[in-house]
Amino acid sequence: MPQSLPTDPTAPAGLDTGLDTGLDVETDVDAAGTPEEILLELVDDEGVTIGTAEKHWAHQQPGRLHRAFSVFLFDRQGRMLLQRRALGKYHSPGVWSNTCCGHPYPDEPPFVAAARRTAEELGVAPALLCEAGTVRYDLPDEATGLIEREWNHLFVGLVTAPVRPNPDEVDDYAFVTAEELRALEAERPFSVWFRTVFEAALPGIREIAGKDW
């Protein structure tokens, strides 16, 4: 890991990268703290687009099934890049999760969205990015009262350049082995979707990072 991880998920980030990304990225709230209207794709039970919806509304109970993506990137040593979500995020703030996740814009291919959002959040483009299937789930988040009803496109790949996280999106990050991931999950809160998308992506993860995963 870059350094020891903080024990309190609400505490300031323990990692100082000393880097300024200077990225102009999508945010969930405006300067006054009011949620911005960001559209995502609604899908049917087969994953076919049936319309659009405002992102925050789609995550309100009972939720609307929509398109999403999850990215798992690994370094040359086969360690997974995790991020801890920024405390200012409207959904699942301050918890650990996979490298990157999000929602394609309407008509945006999931692969393009995954690469775009990884660069926006972590300041680095994947050196390799491969499709690893899809998974559907309905996962309520008790901490926020929101729900994830998603048709999630999974991607695995490699990262070889330095990570430069955007502090508005990422509070901390770590490269972990499979053993370190298990220890971290036992000690720290993770996003409600992490274990589901991780297990669904495992075949692709093992092709990229090896059988130890």
Side-chain angles (χ1 to χ4, degrees):
M1 298 183 187
Q3 68 173 61
S4 298
L5 299 174
T7 57
D8 182 356
T10 63
L15 180 65
D16 181 6
T17 66
L19 297 168
D20 181 5
T21 63
L23 292 172
D24 180 17
V25 303
E26 163 194 351
T27 56
D28 291 326
V29 296
D30 62 19
T34 303
E36 294 182 347
E37 183 173 275
I38 299 172
L39 295 180
L40 46 72
E41 288 188 347
L42 299 180
V43 301
D44 64 16
D45 291 338
E46 304 299 323
V48 177
T49 301
I50 58 173
T52 63
E54 195 277 324
K55 183 172 75 170
H56 294 78
W57 178 80
H59 289 87
Q60 301 289 329
Q61 293 282 1
R64 303 298 186 276
L65 185 61
H66 58 273
R67 195 175 310 283
F69 63 83
S70 290
V71 178
F72 297 84
L73 295 183
F74 295 81
D75 66 9
R76 296 182 188 276
Q77 289 74 48
R79 299 177 302 170
M80 182 189 295
L81 174 57
L82 301 178
Q83 66 156 281
R84 191 171 75 185
R85 294 165 62 84
L87 297 176
K89 302 285 281 186
Y90 84 100
H91 193 341
S92 302
V95 301
W96 287 92
S97 197
N98 49 295
T99 306
C100 181
C101 56
H103 310 90
Y105 294 132
D107 298 322
E108 182 182 30
F111 182 94
V112 174
R116 170 183 60 81
R117 197 66 182 140
T118 298
E120 290 176 350
E121 292 191 4
L122 292 158
V124 62
L128 174 70
L129 193 63
C130 303
E131 295 183 356
T134 59
V135 61
R136 176 188 167 165
Y137 49 79
D138 295 72
L139 298 171
D141 184 354
E142 295 181 2
T144 61
L146 301 174
I147 185 169
E148 292 286 3
R149 295 194 65 207
E150 295 189 330
W151 183 279
N152 197 306
H153 297 255
L154 307 172
F155 298 93
V156 299
L158 299 174
V159 59
T160 57
V163 178
R164 297 177 171 87
N166 180 344
D168 291 334
E169 301 286 349
V170 178
D171 189 53
D172 202 352
Y173 75 94
F175 285 94
V176 299
T177 65
E179 182 177 352
E180 289 169 335
L181 173 61
R182 288 189 290 270
L184 190 62
E185 283 191 280
E187 298 173 359
R188 313 284 199 276
F190 269 68
S191 63
V192 295
W193 61 85
F194 175 78
R195 180 49 53 174
T196 297
V197 295
F198 170 74
E199 291 180 355
L202 260 179
I205 286 173
R206 287 170 176 156
E207 288 187 11
I208 291 291
K211 59 183 177 59
D212 289 343
W213 285 93

